[in-house]
Amino acid sequence: MRISAAPIQPAMELAPLAGLGGGALSSFTGIVRDDGGVAAIELEHYPGMTEACLSSLIEAATERWSLLGAIVTHRIGIVPVGAPVVVVGAASLHRAEALEATAFLIDRLKTDAPFWKREHYADGTAKWVEAKASDDARSNRWA
Amino acid sequence: MRISAAPIQPAMELAPLAGLGGGALSSFTGIVRDDGGVAAIELEHYPGMTEACLSSLIEAATERWSLLGAIVTHRIGIVPVGAPVVVVGAASLHRAEALEATAFLIDRLKTDAPFWKREHYADGTAKWVEAKASDDARSNRWA
Amino acid sequence: MKLLYFASVREGVGLSSEQRDVPEDMRTVGDLVAWLAGQSEEHASVLTQQSRLRFALDQNMVSVDAVLGNAQELAIFPPVTGG
Amino acid sequence: MKLLYFASVREGVGLSSEQRDVPEDMRTVGDLVAWLAGQSEEHASVLTQQSRLRFALDQNMVSVDAVLGNAQELAIFPPVTGG
């Protein structure tokens, strides 16, 4: 679990998972989307609670699936279009566990972790991003 | 789609998917497992059919989900323990599509693509790997 | 009690945190938020519609009817949008 | 017709490919594989148990009862194990 105010490189975050002796490494990278004039997003978080929440998501994944390891790295601060916001990854002996744990981690992170996104537009305006009902639905699949 | 006799680096294979403007990039890397004395695996394939098969898997994924792009890269030849055998990846605007397409691509590749693995042991012996019924079951989920 | 505000709630209240003595008869998160909404126009502007808010008590997500008990810290914020 | 063998089938037959004139009355993949199994001890060693084999006709996976038609190439191999 890592929260970073500096740019993140997915390959570097996932490197520790590649050497655990397993046959399967699955990952998901969330990238700032070029969405109707968005130039960058700004991420606010709840220090202390964020770290506890991400650690407990990894713990929950590790209890639910037989994993060799899992990582979650999330950006805070200003993140420009095209740059990674979040990287999650899971390593396991066989692929089913890594694939499912990866989906679980990103789905739950979206609804449970205390981050808030504000979109900054090229014209200088900014807007808080609204939560999506579809995220709640995907997260509840794992309940 | 790429078949490589030389070592592959997942980050380099996935790089083209990161710049497509989407918000989601999902990937799976299969790694040679340190499994009861295995030193390396050797991959044989059916030239011509392999390329056609992997291309048609990518086409099927692109028809089924709204993807910005997808890649499959597979090693042939001798691959030592700890090295990547296969990398699949998918990019999409939202995460559900990339995550599902990634699972589809690796599940179908396992049952459809004409590759055969032989395990080479530290003691110099070698053994063809047996196909697993569980792979058929996972592949059939997508039928 | 320590009160924390995030994102649009922080902007509405005009504070990222404050320390307040809370009346003894506040039993639930909802009671406390309703009382806070009466403390200033700024508080009222974002704390009145409780259904649009989310809460964490001592850094654990809770529902609006959670009992305050001996909690030291209440955070109030809009639904999260990370990832 | 061009015949291709892979993995343990290639090792058993002792050839990676061969060109053979196929009798006119071979209708399906299964007919042809049964006939091939009679061509040598090596062929018999791996081509007798058809349920353990997989087939591609002109580079498309087919079942044992697929009709040969005008296909130019039949590949015979064990279940695939890539990925």
Side-chain angles (χ1 to χ4, degrees):
Chain A
M1 188 282 307
R2 195 166 85 84
I3 293 163
S4 172
I8 53 179
Q9 295 192 323
M12 281 184 58
E13 303 300 325
L14 296 168
L17 296 180
L20 300 176
L25 198 174
S26 176
S27 76
F28 177 84
T29 302
I31 298 169
V32 180
R33 211 170 37 238
D34 179 5
D35 218 4
V38 171
I41 60 158
E42 182 183 357
L43 277 149
E44 179 171 339
H45 78 127
Y46 182 173
M49 181 172 163
T50 316
E51 290 83 345
C53 173
L54 298 183
S55 294
S56 82
L57 284 182
I58 288 175
E59 210 174 295
T62 308
E63 276 170 24
R64 187 155 175 167
W65 291 281
S66 179
L67 300 180
L68 297 166
I71 61 107
V72 176
T73 300
H74 205 293
R75 273 297 307 273
I76 52 172
I78 300 278
V79 189
V81 162
V85 176
V86 62
V87 180
V88 313
S92 57
L93 286 177
H94 304 287
R95 74 187 179 288
E97 290 82 359
L99 288 165
E100 288 191 29
T102 297
F104 167 87
L105 285 168
I106 187 63
D107 285 347
R108 279 291 182 86
L109 184 152
K110 288 254 179 191
T111 56
D112 293 7
F115 292 100
W116 299 272
K117 255 187 214 127
R118 179 150 51 177
E119 292 175 340
H120 288 265
Y121 298 91
D123 65 6
T125 60
K127 197 183 82 184
W128 290 103
V129 171
E130 298 277 335
K132 289 186 291 187
S134 59
D135 283 339
D136 288 331
R138 278 189 69 87
S139 184
N140 287 335
R141 293 187 308 150
W142 303 107
Chain B
M1 188 283 306
R2 196 166 83 84
I3 292 163
S4 173
I8 53 178
Q9 296 192 323
M12 282 185 57
E13 303 301 324
L14 297 168
L17 297 180
L20 300 176
L25 198 174
S26 176
S27 76
F28 177 84
T29 301
I31 297 168
V32 180
R33 209 171 38 238
D34 178 6
D35 218 5
V38 172
I41 61 158
E42 182 183 358
L43 276 150
E44 179 171 339
H45 78 127
Y46 182 173
M49 181 172 163
T50 316
E51 290 84 345
C53 174
L54 298 183
S55 293
S56 82
L57 284 181
I58 289 175
E59 210 174 295
T62 307
E63 275 170 24
R64 187 155 175 169
W65 292 280
S66 179
L67 301 180
L68 297 167
I71 62 107
V72 175
T73 300
H74 205 293
R75 273 297 307 273
I76 53 172
I78 300 277
V79 189
V81 162
V85 176
V86 62
V87 180
V88 312
S92 57
L93 286 176
H94 304 287
R95 73 187 179 289
E97 290 81 358
L99 288 165
E100 288 191 30
T102 297
F104 168 87
L105 286 168
I106 186 65
D107 285 347
R108 278 292 182 87
L109 184 153
K110 288 252 178 191
T111 56
D112 294 6
F115 291 101
W116 298 271
K117 259 190 211 118
R118 180 149 50 176
E119 292 175 340
H120 288 265
Y121 297 91
D123 65 6
T125 59
K127 197 181 83 183
W128 290 103
V129 171
E130 297 277 334
K132 289 187 291 186
S134 60
D135 283 338
D136 289 332
R138 278 189 69 87
S139 184
N140 287 335
R141 293 187 308 153
W142 304 106
Chain C
M1 189 168 200
K2 186 177 184 186
L3 301 161
L4 293 161
Y5 308 114
F6 291 100
S8 54
V9 175
R10 173 179 52 73
E11 291 189 321
V13 174
L15 293 168
S16 55
S17 72
E18 59 181 328
Q19 189 78 36
R20 279 189 185 260
D21 290 329
V22 169
E24 296 266 328
D25 59 340
M26 304 278 102
R27 209 180 66 85
T28 67
V29 167
D31 295 343
L32 178 48
V33 173
W35 175 79
L36 277 169
Q39 300 305 301
S40 81
E41 259 183 52
E42 288 73 23
H43 285 77
S45 74
V46 285
L47 300 182
T48 308
Q49 277 195 274
Q50 294 193 353
S51 67
R52 304 184 67 167
L53 299 173
R54 300 293 180 270
F55 315 97
L57 210 49
D58 286 346
Q59 307 198 353
N60 292 302
M61 289 265 206
V62 295
S63 63
V64 72
D65 50 9
V67 172
L68 294 172
N70 294 317
Q72 304 295 303
E73 187 174 300
L74 175 67
I76 310 176
F77 44 79
V80 301
T81 56
Chain D
M1 188 166 202
K2 186 177 185 187
L3 301 161
L4 293 161
Y5 308 114
F6 290 101
S8 55
V9 175
R10 172 179 54 72
E11 291 188 323
V13 175
L15 294 168
S16 55
S17 71
E18 60 180 327
Q19 188 78 37
R20 278 189 186 261
D21 290 329
V22 170
E24 296 267 327
D25 59 340
M26 304 278 104
R27 209 181 66 85
T28 67
V29 167
D31 295 342
L32 178 48
V33 173
W35 174 78
L36 277 169
Q39 301 304 302
S40 81
E41 258 182 54
E42 289 73 22
H43 285 79
S45 73
V46 284
L47 299 182
T48 308
Q49 277 194 274
Q50 294 194 354
S51 66
R52 305 184 65 167
L53 299 173
R54 298 294 180 271
F55 315 98
L57 210 49
D58 286 345
Q59 307 198 352
N60 292 301
M61 289 263 207
V62 295
S63 64
V64 71
D65 51 10
V67 173
L68 293 172
N70 293 318
Q72 304 295 303
E73 186 174 301
L74 174 68
I76 309 175
F77 43 80
V80 301
T81 56

